[in-house]
Structure formats: C-alpha cells, structure tokens
C-alpha cells in the first residue's frame, strides 16, 4: 500500500540508537522477572516485544541473533527455576514462549523482505526526473519523491502530511469535482496543471493520475506524476504570438495590393450620396417642391453613407492588430463582407463569380477578422490562378454548407476555381510556409490560413477539382446553434 511505502521511505534514523537500548533493557527485565519471580505464567512470551523492536533497526542476520538470544534466555531461565523439578506445566510454558518467539521472528523476517523490495521500487521512482507523489482520498500527501523536491522546492519532511492542492496552490483546467469524477470512474486522469513552487514561482506540468483501490474496489490513494513543461508552453505562446504578428503583416500586405478595390468600394457609396443629394435639390427646387421624392433621396443618401461607413469599419478591422476574439460568427456574412474587397481584382481578370450560401447554417465560434483573412486569401489565390485561362472560362465559386457526413456537422466553406490546378508533386506542399506556386508569391498566405483554421479547431484541405482547377475546403466545428440563434436538435449538437 502507498501508506506503508511512505512510512518506509520517510523513516528517520535520529532515534535509532535508542531502540537497541530499550530492547536490551526490556530483555533484561523479562529475564529477571521470569527467573526470580514466582509467577506461574509464560513470562518469556514477552520476548516477542524485544524481537519486534529489534526488527526496526536490525538486518536479517542481526534479527536472527537477537531471536536466538531470546530463546537462549528462555531456556536459561527455565533451567535456573526448574533445575530439579521438570513439571509438565513449566515445560509447556517454555515451549509456548519459544514457539511465540520463533513465529514472531519468521514474520518479522518476511516483513523485512517485503520492506526491502518496496524500498528498492521506491528508489527506482527517485531515479526519474519527474515529480512523483502519492496522496490519499482526502488529498493528504503520503509520499514525496526526490523529483518532487527538486521541482517544487518543498523538502519531503515539510510536504508529507499536507494537502497537495493547498501546498502547491494548484490551478486546475476544469472543476476539481469533474476531474475527481473521471479519476474514480476510469482510474486515470491526465491534463495540464499550474503549480506554485516554494519560492512562489509558477510551473506548468503535464500531470498523470493513477488511482489505487483496495480489495473491495474502493478508492484508496492516487499517485500523481508531473512533468515540467513550463519552457515548452512558453515556446508555444511565443510561437503563437509570432504567428499572430505574421498574420497581421500579411493582412496589411494584402490590403496594399487591394488598394484599387478598396478605393472603388468606398467611392461607390460616396458617388451615390452626391447623386442623391443633387436629386434632392432638384426635387426641392421645383415650383412645387416634391417633398416625398426629396425625402426618398435623403433616405438613400443616409443608406449610402452608412454603407461607406461599414466599408471603412471592415477595412479598419481587417488592418487592426487585435488579439483573437472568440465570438459567434455567421460564415455567410463573412463571405459577404469579403466579396467587395476582391471585386476590383475579379473584374480586372474577367472572373465570373458564383456564390452559393447555405441556408440556416450554424454559427461558428471564432475570430471574425481572421476568418475574413482566410476567405480573402483563398479567393485572391483563385482569381490570380486563373490569369492564364482563356476569357470566358474563368469562374470563381464560393459555397457554404453543412457537412452531413460527420456526426458533429461541421460548417464547410468551399472555394473552387477553373484554373490550371496544381501538379501531384506540389499538392502536399501547398500549406508549407514559404512554398508558393507563383513566381512572385511569398508562400505565406495558405500557411497562415491553415494556422488560423487549426487554431479554431477546424481543418483546411486542397484537392483537384472534378472539372479541373482547385477546390479548397475549410471545415469549422459547429458549437450547436444555427444562424438565427435557435438551438439545434440534441442529436445535432457537439
């Protein structure tokens, strides 16, 4: 059992010198009472106490010697007291005492063997660099390895007997009741925890819990093995930060390439405002002003002004470097917001556009600006890939739908073109950083798109189209509500 292991491992030698003295004095007292008292009882049976005390500090050979001495003292006392009178009751008392000493010695020897085996196993645990400790069901630390001392800074003497979660100020990734429930149900649990060292510094660990049960199947204790992953987590966070900054640079670069389209998109509503303003003045300048038509012109001016404001707001959001924001997003709205940005590029290349939005699509949980960047990258790549295709054969298709082939019903965004496609050798490399099939390409657009989609828990894939060209498919997980906000049926929820 874990508890007995802890007793063995944490045995303090500070009082061991006292044990032999007590055992010797007790043996002398038993011999004197057994030899010189007139008590008609098996006093020598008390030598088993001497054997039990000696088992705590003697090795196998020493314990056998002490047991032999106790048997010898029993025989000597019998000879002194009954030298001339060997009555049957005295002989039986002597034999019972010798049998008790022998049985106790054998049991102590067996316990020493088990103890040495257990100590050897515990020594193996101390060879690992991981922090290992054992705690009972009340979370009290029973065993504390050398690795735990090195990682947390708490000596074994200070850690044993204290609640583990309180000692380490553990930050759990989920409610503790849920974690304990999984541990008791499956006998195992693993996940990332944040602990606090003795000096107050934080450490992130990959923790693995194993449950020990008694012979009736009841939870008895848990062994926790913790591996320090602090540096790895810091590296991952730094990588994510660098990736976010690179995505921001790519967005700004893309906007620079789309300057003409942006100017065109903003100029349209502004021109409409001017046109409607002139019409309004004409209606008001009549001999009999037409107030109804003038009001309609003003309303159109307001609508076009708001449209221009919306365009500018979308462009500012696309250029702004914000932290990723997880919020409900309608993918059809994302596509509608991106289409005006590629209008100029599409018209310049003579590319026909076919948009097929799915109906009542579930909203997805993600960052709206980042998803806009993915759709923008895919659409621009498709338009530019068709530059060498004869006029009249350039078609860009963007469709959204639910993937009914999966239990979770992922939301799919499909971007299809009629370009020359990609050869089989280049296809597996499309999403690699700095790999591009265009002569002047940076090779970052698709790589960043994949990073964004994977960060949203989805996936992105490329495949040759059925009628030529390429098909890019983005799959985003469905959190369980449709675009109108209504809850999906229970079987459709994740």
């Amino acid at each position: 059992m874990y508890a007995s292991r802890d007793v063995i491992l944490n045995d303090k030698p500070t009082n061991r010198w006292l044990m032999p003295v007590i055992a010797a004095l007790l043996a002398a007292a038993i011999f004197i009472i057994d030899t010189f008292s007139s008590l008609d009882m098996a006093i020598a049976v008390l030598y088993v106490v001497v054997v039990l005390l000696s088992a705590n500090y003697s090795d196998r050979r020493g314990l056998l010697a002490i047991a032999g001495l106790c048997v010898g003292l029993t025989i000597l006392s019998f000879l002194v007291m009954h030298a001339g009178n060997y009555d049957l009751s005295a002989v039986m008392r002597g034999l019972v005492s010798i049998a008790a000493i022998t049985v106790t010695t054998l049991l102590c020897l067996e316990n020493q063997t088990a103890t040495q085996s257990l100590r050897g196993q515990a020594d193996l645990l101390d060879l690992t660099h991981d922090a290992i400790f054992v705690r009972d069901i009340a979370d009290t630390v029973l065993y504390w390895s050398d690795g735990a001392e090195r990682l947390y800074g708490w000596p074994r003497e200070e850690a044993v007997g204290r609640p583990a979660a309180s000692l380490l100020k553990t930050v759990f990734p989920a409610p503790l009741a849920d974690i304990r429930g999984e541990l008791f149900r499956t006998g195992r649990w693993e996940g990332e925890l944040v602990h606090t060292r003795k000096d107050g510094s934080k450490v992130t660990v990959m923790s693995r819990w194993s449950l020990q049960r008694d012979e009736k199947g009841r939870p008895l204790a848990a062994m926790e093995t913790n591996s320090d992953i602090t540096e790895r987590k810091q590296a991952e966070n730094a990588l994510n930060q660098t990736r976010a900054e690179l995505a921001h640079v790519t967005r700004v670069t893309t906007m620079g390439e789309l300057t003409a389209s942006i100017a065109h998109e903003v100029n349209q509503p502004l021109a409409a405002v001017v046109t409607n303003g002139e019409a309004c003045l004409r209606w008001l300048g009549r001999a009999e002003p037409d107030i109804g038509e003038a009001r309609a012109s003003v309303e159109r001016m307001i609508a076009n002004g708001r449209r221009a404001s919306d365009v500018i707001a979308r462009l500012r959001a696309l250029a702004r470097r914000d932290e990723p924001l997880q919020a409900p997003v309608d993918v059809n709205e994302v596509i509608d917001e991106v289409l005006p940005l590629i209008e100029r590029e599409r018209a310049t290349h003579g590319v026909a556009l076919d948009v097929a939005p799915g109906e009542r699509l579930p909203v997805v949980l993600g960052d709206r600006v980042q998803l806009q960047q993915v759709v923008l990258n895919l659409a621009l790549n498709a338009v530019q890939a068709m530059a060498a295709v004869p006029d009249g054969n350039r078609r860009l298709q963007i469709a959204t739908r639910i993937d009914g082939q999966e239990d979770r019903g992922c939301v799919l965004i499909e971007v299809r073109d009629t370009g020359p496609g990609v050869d089989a050798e280049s296809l597996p490399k499309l999403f690699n950083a700095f790999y591009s099939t265009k002569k002047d390409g940076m090779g970052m657009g698709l790589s960043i798109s994949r990073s964004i989609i994977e960060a949203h828990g989805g996936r992105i894939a490329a495949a040759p189209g059925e009628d030529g060209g390429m098909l890019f498919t983005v799959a985003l997980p469905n959190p369980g509500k449709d675009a109108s906000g209504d809850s999906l049926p229970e079987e459709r929820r994740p």
Side-chain angles (χ1 to χ4, degrees), residues 97-119:
S97 299
I98 293 173
I101 295 171
T102 302
V103 171
T104 302
T105 302
L106 293 175
L107 291 176
C108 287
L109 290 173
E110 182 178 353
N111 184 65
Q112 278 191 344
T113 300
T115 299
Q116 290 172 357
S117 175
L118 190 59
R119 190 185 298 274

Side-chain angles (χ1 to χ4, degrees), residues 261-299:
S261 294
I262 293 170
H264 174 75
E265 176 66 12
V266 175
N267 186 61
Q268 280 186 334
L270 293 181
V273 169
V274 173
T275 301
N276 284 288
E278 293 173 347
C280 180
L281 290 176
R282 287 196 301 271
W283 292 116
L284 292 175
R286 287 189 170 189
E288 293 183 7
D290 192 331
I291 302 300
E293 290 292 345
R295 177 179 290 118
S297 297
V298 172
E299 290 175 350

